[in-house]
Amino acid sequence: MTKYIQIRHWDYWWGVYGCVDAPVSGVEFSITDDQEGNQLYFHLDLYTLPALREFLRPGEFMDKDDNDFPYFCERADGLFKGSEEYFVGSLYYRDYMPGIAGCNQYRQEGTDVFSVKSPERAPYYAVLFIREEKDLLPERLVGWMQRLSLSLFHKQFLYEIADIPSYECALEQLQLPNTGICD
């Protein structure tokens, strides 16, 4: 089964095409079941070792006094030493708000309002750091998703970037960033 990578920001393409003098050390994207991008499967932010070096600076990814900072540094050290291939830096969950029927269900059950619990929910978004020094160009991004697929999703998918804009289109977006999507 094929999953489609939908790049979320133009800065990725600007880096890929060399429109800006910046490494391609991270990318934010959605994984969808359809090429058009309407059927969301998951969101990911994928960052390489050069980006991780920046994120290790206190206040960049988390504050030094954050309880998770030592663990974050430990995981990062595992990537730098080669004992780990990747680690998850954050998981995000959608907010839960029951409908009116759910809000009042406790009354029919004869319990109290504290019995209205949010259901366990799966994450929909993750931030991953990978053991990669090179720029995260399209073919390398697809390769990493192939490698991570089984570990992340317990399914081996094929991945393909859904829409690769032309150099001209990327350059146009850089010069006039609020003009819309190129044809």
Side-chain angles (χ1 to χ4, degrees), residues 2-164:
T2 300
K3 297 287 184 190
Y4 297 92
I5 296 171
Q6 312 280 345
I7 305 297
R8 298 179 66 192
H9 303 287
W10 279 104
D11 60 347
Y12 175 76
W13 296 113
W14 298 335
V16 166
Y17 288 127
C19 300
V20 294
D21 186 24
V24 185
S25 58
V27 59
E28 297 178 26
F29 59 97
S30 299
I31 300 170
T32 61
D33 292 327
D34 63 318
Q35 193 166 6
E36 296 75 29
N38 296 321
Q39 299 171 350
L40 177 66
Y41 184 72
F42 203 72
H43 292 294
L44 276 173
D45 293 356
L46 205 59
Y47 294 105
T48 62
L49 294 175
L52 178 57
R53 286 183 189 95
E54 293 298 315
F55 282 130
L56 280 169
R57 294 174 28 206
E60 286 297 316
F61 187 71
M62 65 177 58
D63 291 327
K64 192 174 184 175
D65 59 349
D66 189 302
N67 290 339
D68 281 338
F69 191 70
Y71 186 75
F72 177 66
C73 292
E74 185 181 314
R75 297 278 62 86
D77 194 48
L79 281 187
F80 291 123
K81 289 180 178 176
S83 60
E84 294 190 52
E85 193 166 40
Y86 79 95
F87 75 91
V88 178
S90 292
L91 289 174
Y92 297 93
Y93 299 82
R94 295 191 193 288
D95 291 335
Y96 169 71
M97 182 175 245
I100 293 175
C103 291
N104 289 285
Q105 185 175 355
Y106 76 93
R107 296 174 67 210
Q108 282 105 17
E109 295 172 353
T111 58
D112 59 30
V113 72
F114 297 110
S115 67
V116 181
K117 307 283 186 208
S118 63
E120 289 187 32
R121 303 180 71 84
Y124 74 98
Y125 199 121
V127 175
L128 267 66
F129 295 94
I130 58 174
R131 190 170 41 99
E132 178 64 66
E133 285 286 353
K134 297 179 182 174
D135 279 352
L136 208 50
L137 300 177
E139 60 277 0
R140 195 163 290 120
L141 170 59
V142 169
W144 268 101
M145 287 313 302
Q146 298 288 138
R147 288 168 63 182
L148 296 170
S149 188
L150 197 57
S151 175
L152 288 175
F153 306 122
H154 281 219
K155 293 181 182 174
Q156 189 60 57
F157 298 117
L158 297 175
Y159 291 89
E160 167 180 326
I161 296 180
D163 184 32
I164 300 177

